Amino acid sequence: MIRIGAVSYLNTKPLICGLRERLSGIGKLSLNLPSRLAQDLAAGRLDVALIPSVEYFRATGYSIVSNAVIGCRGPVWSVRLLSRVPIQQIKRLALDEGSRTSAAMVRVLLSEMHGLSPETIPLAIDQTPETVDADAILVIGDRAMHPEHGVYEEIWDLGDRWCRWTELPFVFAMWVARPGVDTTGLAEILQASRDEGLRSLETIASREAATHGLTNEDLHRYFVENLHFHLGPGERAGLQAFQEKATALGLVDTPKSTL
């Protein structure tokens, strides 16, 4: 039985639509935070996982197994930098422990756009942004969608900042297999689930919206306007640019030659 891990956030719902049923008899699906999925894949506790793209850059022998991804081509809404001071004055940055790609992404953008290299501290999964002692806080996922109003000097949507700065899409996570795993037929299964999810966005939105404090219309718009679920040439170019920029900052040690 192939062990597959997926992200437990809202943005993953279209990718895993009907996936448990499609894996019946051949695999088992579990849900977790992006950073923990990367740890479990590296430790051999998972065979395939939807991991942060930066972890694909850092690993040896990993392979992308599907063109189903979580990405954006503009504002993403669920990845934000909340700054209590003007951006140029950020000296201490709290990074959401749930993410590794977004943590690298915000450091790249702050460095390239403003020449900043702030001290970083963790923001625990169960810690609210308001309680952390930092000039700015990176938050991801559901809690990034409703920042407290009137508290912050500036709020960045990191998808928007990346796409305007680089003129390229961004890929947050992708299905990756560790070395030696037989993934025959898995790409078709993962892509079929993604395609079913995209046909069922209204149903998914009506099922998930209220529990996350969103209207059905807000969540449907998030899926349709803020997220992109296909790995195409533009996304590969965005991944290449991200890898090069992260490597230049020392966030990735051994860049891959191809993506």
Side-chain angles (χ1 to χ4, degrees), residues 11 15 43 48-49 66 110 117 125 148 157 189 197 223:
N11 58 12
L15 285 190
V48 174
S66 170
L110 289 175
S117 181
I125 300 300
E148 187 175 338
D157 180 304
I189 290 173
F223 289 145

Side-chain angles (χ1 to χ4, degrees), residues 106-150:
V106 70
R107 292 173 71 181
V108 164
L109 288 171
L110 289 175
S111 176
E112 289 210 347
M113 297 178 70
H114 294 288
L116 298 176
S117 181
E119 172 194 359
T120 60
I121 60 172
L123 174 70
I125 300 300
D126 58 354
Q127 186 178 10
T128 62
E130 294 75 27
T131 63
V132 67
D133 181 18
D135 298 316
I137 309 101
L138 167 73
V139 288
I140 68 166
D142 306 347
R143 65 178 174 177
M145 301 171 89
H146 299 290
E148 187 175 338
H149 294 290

Side-chain angles (χ1 to χ4, degrees), residues 66-136:
S66 170
N67 66 17
V69 300
I70 297 174
C72 71
R73 292 182 167 182
V76 69
W77 191 19
S78 56
V79 181
R80 294 189 177 185
L81 177 67
L82 313 177
S83 184
R84 296 171 174 142
V85 299
I87 296 296
Q88 296 87 342
Q89 296 178 22
I90 296 173
K91 295 181 179 179
R92 187 171 185 166
L93 172 65
L95 300 173
D96 194 313
E97 282 189 328
S99 172
R100 294 183 180 180
T101 289
S102 299
M105 179 191 195
V106 70
R107 292 173 71 181
V108 164
L109 288 171
L110 289 175
S111 176
E112 289 210 347
M113 297 178 70
H114 294 288
L116 298 176
S117 181
E119 172 194 359
T120 60
I121 60 172
L123 174 70
I125 300 300
D126 58 354
Q127 186 178 10
T128 62
E130 294 75 27
T131 63
V132 67
D133 181 18
D135 298 316

